[in-house]
């Protein structure tokens, strides 16, 4: 076996059959990202599991393997490139962040496993019993943590949001498709070690079924959000609010919420409440001019907010959304953080208007700062200013100039 391994190293590829099988699996996993929904944590879980399995492969049908870290990375890159060609041809090239993250994560796992295994340290000290399984489990945990750290760092670099909440989001995601990818990768490696390459298609099936289930769940969430957005547009269709107002407030509220550390379910509640924050105006006999509730007396704002909360409670959305809508007009010292954000962002959009330009945006922000004694929390106003200074968000929000 030593002579064969030396010959393979000279030829440049160790166990070419294994390399080809795992390369094909990774390519097929990339092809399976067809129909992936925007924002998916891992748009190609089968490819990720196959790459991880190759990184943790020490034996094939009872025979020791000799491939190293560089070959693993080369196979992952080659398989990924082959798999994304159809997507590029359709003009739907995958996110480069995902590709770079997978290469770095798989490289980390391979670097932790292959040198120890090929040196014989793992076999001598742990054997192939429970201790070996615990060793693989530890490697999976470290690899998952590495992936979460990298994902949060890349998102931080792209958006400028605080790192802590982003990392919490990524760690929460590990409970879902992330844990399925790690478990499938480890089981594939163990299956190939015991039964050979025939184990690969067998262990692909559970992950493919899991991927379909996650797609359906994500589609349901997307449908729910579209329904809420359609309800929010009722105020625009009725002429109660300017076109795009709810969408702008929702997008900017989400950005401010991330700036202040909200994530996960709290961010979803904030976005839904921001979309529906003006729905109480449908109950008014006389519409508010331009829908600008921020310019109304406090008691009238509170009455509209309570009407809106009553409407929201009839829509079937979580009760927390109705609470935010109801309390958006309260003094900020009595409000939960999402209500503070909706109040301030709504006031900003009302004051800045859609065509006021940078001058109107600066004037609106200054008025919010002057109202921090009672109406707007200083931290929310400053977070809004930072988001706007970075360029705001898409959807017609006027960004502020630097400084």
């Amino acid at each position: 076996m030593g002579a064969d391994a030396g010959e393979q190293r000279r030829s440049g590829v160790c166990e070419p059959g294994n390399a080809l099988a795992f390369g094909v699996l990774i390519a097929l996993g990339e092809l399976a990202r067809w129909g992936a929904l925007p924002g998916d944590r891992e748009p190609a879980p089968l490819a990720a599991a196959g790459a991880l399995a190759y990184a943790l492969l020490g034996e094939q049908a009872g025979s020791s393997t000799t491939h190293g870290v560089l070959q693993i990375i080369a196979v992952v890159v080659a398989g990924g490139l082959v798999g994304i060609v159809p997507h590029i041809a359709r003009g739907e090239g995958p996110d480069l962040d995902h590709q770079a993250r997978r290469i770095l994560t798989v490289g980390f796992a391979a670097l932790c496993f292959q040198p120890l295994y090929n040196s014989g340290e793992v076999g001598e000290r742990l054997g192939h019993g429970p201790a070996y399984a615990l060793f693989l489990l530890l490697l999976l945990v470290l690899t998952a943590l590495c992936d979460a750290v990298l994902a949060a760092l890349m998102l931080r670099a792209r958006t400028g949001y605080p790192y802590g909440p982003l990392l919490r989001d990524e760690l929460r995601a590990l409970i879902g498709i992330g844990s399925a990818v790690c478990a499938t990768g480890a089981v594939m490696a163990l299956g190939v070690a015991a039964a050979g390459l025939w184990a690969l298609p067998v262990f692909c099936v559970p992950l493919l079924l899991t991927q379909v289930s996650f797609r359906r769940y994500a589609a349901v969430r997307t449908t729910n959000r579209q329904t809420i957005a359609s309800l929010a547009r009722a105020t625009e269709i009725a002429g109660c609010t300017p076109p795009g107002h709810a969408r702008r407030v929702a997008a900017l509220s989400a950005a401010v919420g991330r700036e202040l550390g909200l994530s996960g379910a709290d961010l979803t509640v904030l976005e839904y409440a921001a979309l529906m924050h003006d729905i109480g105006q449908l109950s008014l006999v006389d519409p508010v001019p331009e829908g600008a509730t921020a310019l109304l007396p406090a008691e009238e704002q509170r009455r509209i907010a309570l009407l809106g909360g009553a409407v929201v409670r009839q829509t079937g959305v979580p009760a927390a959304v109705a609470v935010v809508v109801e309390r958006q007009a309260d003094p900020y010292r009595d409000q939960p953080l999402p209500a503070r954000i909706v109040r301030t962002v709504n006031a900003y959009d009302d004051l800045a208007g859609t065509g006021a330009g940078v001058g109107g945006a600066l004037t609106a922000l200054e008025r919010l700062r002057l109202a921090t004694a009672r109406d707007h929390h200083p931290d929310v106003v400053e977070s809004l200013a930072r988001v706007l200074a970075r360029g705001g968000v898409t959807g017609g929000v006027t960004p502020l100039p630097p400084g």
Side-chain angles (χ1 to χ4, degrees), residues 29 76-77 122 198 200 242 339 392:
V76 171
V77 171
V122 173
W198 291 107
L200 288 180

Side-chain angles (χ1 to χ4, degrees), residues 3 39 69 77 79 90 95 134 158 186 217 240 274 283 299 380 383:
V69 176
V77 171
R90 286 166 52 105
D95 189 347
L134 288 175
R158 190 167 65 246
Y217 172 71
C240 298
S283 303
E299 289 304 320
V380 176
S383 294

Side-chain angles (χ1 to χ4, degrees), residues 142-339:
L142 292 176
T143 301
L145 290 176
C146 174
D147 183 64
V149 168
L150 287 173
L153 282 173
M154 290 177 175
L155 193 56
R156 162 71 176 167
R158 190 167 65 246
T159 64
Y161 293 143
Y163 180 73
L166 295 176
L167 181 59
R168 285 199 302 272
D169 273 354
E170 295 300 331
L171 292 175
R172 287 195 189 102
L174 294 179
I175 301 174
I177 195 68
S179 61
V181 168
C182 289
T184 303
V187 171
M188 279 183 179
L190 294 173
V192 172
L197 296 175
W198 291 107
L200 288 180
V202 174
F203 291 115
C204 286
V205 175
L207 186 58
L208 288 173
L209 295 177
T210 302
Q211 183 177 356
V212 171
S213 298
F214 270 89
R215 290 287 183 272
R216 290 180 177 175
Y217 172 71
V220 169
R221 289 192 60 183
T222 301
T223 301
N224 288 340
R225 190 189 182 284
Q226 290 172 345
T227 302
I228 292 172
S230 298
L231 289 172
R233 289 193 66 242
T235 58
E236 300 176 14
I237 296 172
C240 298
T241 57
H245 171 72
R247 176 172 48 82
R248 291 193 302 272
V249 172
L252 195 51
S253 293
V256 174
R258 284 192 176 277
E259 184 75 19
L260 289 169
L262 293 183
S263 61
D266 293 334
L267 205 59
T268 300
V269 168
L270 171 62
E271 184 181 10
Y272 287 177
L275 281 170
M276 306 182 75
H277 74 280
D278 269 332
I279 203 166
Q281 294 196 43
L282 296 175
S283 303
L284 300 179
V285 176
D286 298 319
V288 178
E290 300 295 327
T293 55
L295 304 178
L296 296 176
E299 289 304 320
E300 185 64 11
Q301 291 184 39
R302 190 169 294 109
R303 184 174 77 87
I304 295 173
L306 291 174
L307 289 171
V311 173
V312 171
R313 291 183 187 278
Q314 304 301 316
T315 63
V317 301
V321 176
V323 171
V324 174
V325 173
E326 289 172 343
R327 301 188 63 183
Q328 62 177 306
D330 293 349
Y332 73 72
R333 292 178 178 83
D334 301 328
Q335 291 176 313
L337 179 56

Side-chain angles (χ1 to χ4, degrees), residues 78-134:
L81 290 176
V82 171
I84 66 176
V85 167
H87 300 286
I88 295 175
R90 286 166 52 105
E92 301 174 353
D95 189 347
L96 292 180
D97 282 0
H98 282 294
Q99 303 299 316
R101 208 176 84 210
R102 179 182 301 155
I103 293 169
L104 291 173
T105 302
V106 170
F108 173 83
L111 194 60
C112 290
F113 178 80
Q114 291 296 332
L116 289 175
Y117 193 92
N118 291 336
S119 67
E121 291 289 328
V122 173
E124 293 177 6
R125 296 178 181 273
L126 303 179
H128 292 83
Y132 180 69
L134 288 175

